[in-house]
Amino acid sequence: MADEKLEKELYVVGAGPGDPELITLKAYRVLQRARVILYDNLANQELLDLVPESCEKIYVGKRPYGEYTPQERIHELILEKADEKGMVVRLKGGDPFIFGRGFEEILFAREHGISTFYIPGITSMQAAGFADVPLTHRTLSEGIWVLTGTKKDGKLSSDLRLAMQSNATVVVYMGMKKLQEIADTYVNEGKGETPAAIIQHATLARQKSGAGRVKDLPAIAAHHQLTHPSIIIIGEVVGIHFNPVYR
């Protein structure tokens, strides 16, 4: 009897902000039957304990401003492993569709006849609540602007100037190399006194944070020894819990 043809599937799964207990039930069930898992730098490796012993585990991480696995190689692995073993899980920190390039991988897989599935994850900005920073609060913030601190060309998003014109909370991902530029942008627009916070390793035991005025973002990071991976929150919501001075 001929071997049955493997059903090729790609599951792009959000690993959440850090705490492994914050993945979805659907993600938990998919991990339990994974045949191959491609996991990145921000996915908590405790989640690998959920996969079967027979599951092949391949690290495809990208460390900030350091060594990384090229996206093209990740695409190659998706194709190779789907052909070889059928079911591939791509485990990505946070939510795969929020600055995670997850949809690029979905499109690549579809172009090569692989069935695709997306399982959302809690993105790191939602973990700001673990530092007592809500993203919205009635009378203080009526919306959220979410920006990348580093575009494909390496520049800070020009949308920042638009975002600061509203009372919306501004969230900056991947912005730790741009702290001075972010601070200067606010100062130049006369908004340097806006409260701001930096939160590193949100939801984990080693979580730490600092807050103050946006004009002082570099000093806040230095004072609290904050580095990657961190989320930057700017807006009046920060002042609800944090006094706008170093703590």
Side-chain angles (χ1 to χ4, degrees), residues 2 15 33 95 115 119 143-144 156 159 188 205 211 218 224 237 243:
R33 57 188 184 88
D95 182 276
S115 299
I119 301 178
I144 307 166
L156 180 67
D159 283 356
N188 292 339
H224 295 279
V237 292
N243 288 322

Side-chain angles (χ1 to χ4, degrees), residues 149 156 160 172 174-186 197-198 214-222 226-227 230-232 234:
L156 180 67
L160 182 61
V172 183
M174 300 173 287
M176 293 302 287
K177 285 278 191 177
K178 301 287 186 179
L179 292 178
Q180 189 62 61
E181 188 175 350
I182 293 169
D184 291 344
T185 302
Y186 271 83
I198 303 171
V214 69
K215 66 179 182 180
D216 297 318
L217 276 176
I220 294 168
L226 299 167
T227 182
S230 294
I231 196 82
I232 302 163
I234 305 168

